[in-house]
């Protein structure tokens, strides 16, 4: 592990900060999690769980103009965002922070054509962290911008590395419902990631249960 503090570049950290401070009328909220699980077609990116902070706030301003008088406090505002399906999924969060939507490789010409028509909409956690777009990385070599694959359905982003510790950021459903952070201390670099010390017990428990298809990945782009 490196002994100095390394972090994502300022412009990427600024995007992360914006997701933690989404403006909804007079309220400032962490962006909730939302994934288009039912596969509704032709939704705008913001309604498909792939919106940038600016796109999400634009939609919220429109909604607030119509129904803002119904919101009494931050809890109401956050619940309204969830009911309106306005949030970000794990892969959308990573893609928007890193700004890599145009650099992703696709498995076939059909999915590539769909991506050209609707950028971001067809980038999944599995596509990001699969062999086509990333390589496995040893724990001892982790860097900011690396990804943590937790099976086919979830991805976390390494935000910083400081000696034997590194921090990740993600959009998830637990322990919170939305964007959140965690930290991992490497106690034995020769052992798998689930044998290290995680600051968020829920993340560790889910990671342990995700089978063998997991680990640190580095994008090839």
């Amino acid at each position: 592990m490196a002994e100095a503090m390394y972090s994502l570049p300022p412009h990427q950290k600024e995007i992360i900060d914006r997701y933690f401070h989404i403006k909804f009328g007079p309220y400032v909220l962490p962006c909730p999690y939302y994934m288009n699980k039912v596969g509704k077609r032709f939704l705008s990116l913001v309604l498909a769980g792939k919106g940038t902070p600016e796109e999400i706030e634009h939609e919220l301003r429109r909604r607030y103009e119509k129904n803002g008088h119904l919101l009494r406090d931050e809890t109401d505002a956050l619940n309204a965002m969830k009911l309106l399906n306005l949030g970000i999924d794990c892969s959308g969060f990573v893609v928007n922070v890193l700004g890599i939507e145009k650099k992703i490789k696709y498995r076939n010409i059909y999915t590539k054509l769909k991506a050209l028509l609707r950028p971001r909409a067809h980038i999944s956690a599995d596509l990001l962290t699969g062999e086509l777009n990333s390589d496995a990385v040893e724990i001892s070599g982790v860097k900011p911008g690396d990804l943590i694959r937790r099976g086919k359905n979830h991805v976390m982003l390494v935000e910083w590395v400081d000696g034997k510790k590194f921090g990740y950021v993600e959009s998830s459903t637990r322990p919170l419902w939305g964007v959140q952070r965690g930290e991992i201390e490497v106690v034995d670099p020769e052992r798998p990631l689930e044998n290290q010390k995680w600051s968020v017990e829920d993340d560790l428990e889910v990671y342990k249960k995700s089978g063998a298809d997991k680990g640190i990945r580095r994008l090839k782009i």
Side-chain angles (χ1 to χ4, degrees):
M1 300 290 292
E3 293 302 325
M5 174 71 168
Y6 296 95
S7 185
L8 291 172
H11 70 280
Q12 293 177 352
K13 290 181 69 66
E14 182 179 347
I15 297 171
I16 292 173
D17 185 67
R18 292 282 285 106
Y19 274 112
F20 277 89
H21 298 87
I22 295 291
K23 297 177 182 178
F24 187 8
Y27 309 108
V28 179
L29 311 161
C31 188
Y33 176 88
Y34 175 69
M35 180 180 179
N36 181 23
K37 293 181 180 180
V38 295
K40 292 182 180 178
R41 297 184 176 184
F42 310 118
L43 289 174
S44 67
L45 290 172
V46 71
L47 295 177
K50 303 292 186 179
T52 64
E54 292 75 19
E55 290 167 341
I56 293 171
E57 287 183 345
H58 176 78
E59 182 65 20
L60 286 172
R61 282 195 297 271
R62 191 175 70 82
R63 304 296 183 109
Y64 189 79
E65 288 174 1
K66 295 181 179 180
N67 299 298
H69 62 283
L70 299 175
L71 305 180
R72 297 167 297 180
D73 52 30
E74 288 187 0
T75 300
D76 277 358
L78 187 60
N79 288 335
M81 287 184 68
K82 295 175 182 178
L83 289 172
L84 293 168
N85 294 333
L86 286 169
I88 188 74
D89 68 20
C90 64
S91 57
F93 176 73
V94 170
V95 168
N96 291 339
V97 169
L98 297 181
I100 55 174
E101 63 181 81
K102 296 181 180 179
K103 300 178 181 179
I104 298 299
K105 296 178 181 178
Y106 294 88
R107 297 185 178 97
N108 55 59
I109 189 65
Y110 175 67
T111 53
K112 184 175 182 179
L113 286 173
K114 288 200 300 181
L116 287 173
L117 294 171
R118 287 174 51 76
R120 286 183 270 157
H122 301 284
I123 302 176
S124 65
D126 186 34
L127 183 64
L128 278 176
T129 59
E131 293 182 357
L132 187 62
N133 285 292
S134 68
D135 293 313
V137 175
E138 297 294 331
I139 295 175
S140 58
V142 64
K143 296 179 180 179
D146 286 344
L147 308 178
I148 301 174
R149 178 179 172 96
R150 195 179 76 193
K152 292 184 177 181
N153 298 319
H154 191 64
V155 58
M156 306 147 143
L157 174 64
V158 176
E159 184 177 12
W160 55 265
V161 179
D162 188 5
K164 294 183 178 181
K165 296 182 179 180
F166 61 93
Y168 60 87
V169 61
E170 62 179 328
S171 183
S172 186
T173 60
R174 55 183 290 186
L176 306 176
W177 190 276
V179 291
Q180 51 199 294
R181 286 183 166 97
E183 181 180 303
I184 298 173
E185 180 181 357
V186 179
V187 294
D188 186 348
E190 301 300 319
R191 304 191 71 187
L193 201 55
E194 62 256 46
N195 296 120
Q196 313 306 326
K197 185 178 180 181
W198 295 52
S199 65
V200 182
E201 191 65 28
D202 267 18
D203 278 341
L204 173 58
E205 291 305 311
V206 177
Y207 186 84
K208 286 180 177 178
K209 296 175 182 178
S210 58
D213 190 10
K214 57 192 175 188
I216 301 173
R217 302 287 191 269
R218 180 163 300 154
L219 289 166
K220 297 178 181 180
I221 57 178

